[in-house]
Amino acid sequence: MYLRQDVSLLFDNGILRGVRSKWVQNTDQIHMDETVASEDSSHFQSISFHHGENHYGGEDIKSVQAMTYDELYVIDSPTTPIKAFKQPVTPFESEWKELLDRSSKQQLLFQWHLLIQYFQINPENYRAIPLVDLYKYNNKPLPNMSQQETDVLIGRLWEGIYKSYVIPASESSENQLESYIPLILIDKQNTHLYVLFELNGGREQLIQRIPEIKN
């Protein structure tokens, strides 16, 4: 394609470990490799946004987009050999998955509640989607939206996340980076949305209007 961009975010037990973004022209693939060192047991989650453009002369530009997601549980216990899995297949793995999921969920719910209170938002008026779950709407429309409306919303949403979250996070040194999974709040009337997050001690909200798509 004339232009491709990949944006990837990696979370460890709900905490941002790093972001990577890469633009490449005239290619059909983008490669990004990273080595991550970690201690203790972890639930790694990665979500990526892939964008591509083809230019046909003048202002005729066609674009494609998609999201991908992956996760990995790594068990680092002093009493057993280190192991990793994506889906538990033994009682031992199921117990660890439940423990890690419950621990990170409690921490995330606490952080999100603080942000909702700080920005004085009534959660009853919104549908909440953690950023790492956004990939589920690659081929499934958001409630009360068509797939076309969903695709437009997600494309614009990632533009805002890139400018307001990815760029500032990428400019932070690794030992100073502090953030949890951002929370997306979509107004139940489909007029606007918020993205709530805390980055390096600063509480932030991204506000976007949801456009109407005319067929």
Side-chain angles (χ1 to χ4, degrees), residues 42-153:
S42 297
H43 176 206
F44 291 104
Q45 294 172 282
S46 175
I47 186 166
S48 301
F49 180 72
H50 314 277
H51 174 81
E53 292 181 0
N54 271 331
H55 295 204
Y56 296 93
E59 297 182 357
D60 186 12
I61 300 174
K62 293 185 178 180
S63 63
V64 293
Q65 66 184 40
M67 293 173 287
T68 53
Y69 171 84
D70 206 354
E71 63 182 339
L72 185 70
Y73 291 87
V74 178
I75 310 305
D76 187 4
S77 171
T79 59
T80 59
I82 191 169
K83 65 185 311 181
F85 59 89
K86 294 189 177 183
Q87 293 295 329
V89 294
T90 67
F92 173 80
E93 292 175 353
S94 296
E95 290 176 7
W96 269 102
K97 178 183 184 303
E98 182 180 351
L99 175 64
L100 291 173
D101 287 349
R102 183 172 63 248
S103 176
S104 60
K105 182 178 180 180
Q106 289 175 345
Q107 183 64 46
L108 287 169
L109 288 175
F110 176 75
Q111 295 294 329
W112 293 336
H113 180 68
L114 290 179
L115 289 169
I116 289 170
Q117 281 191 321
Y118 181 80
F119 290 110
Q120 300 180 338
I121 296 172
N122 183 356
E124 298 296 323
N125 297 331
Y126 296 87
R127 300 182 182 91
I129 304 173
L131 177 61
V132 291
D133 287 346
L134 198 59
Y135 76 97
K136 296 177 181 178
Y137 299 95
N138 259 331
N139 299 299
K140 182 179 76 171
L142 288 158
N144 301 320
M145 289 188 188
S146 67
Q147 189 64 56
Q148 181 187 11
E149 290 170 329
T150 298
D151 293 343
V152 171
L153 181 149

Side-chain angles (χ1 to χ4, degrees), residues 32 35 38 47 126 144 165 201:
M32 290 190 287
T35 299
S38 181
I47 186 166
Y126 296 87
N144 301 320
Y165 187 70

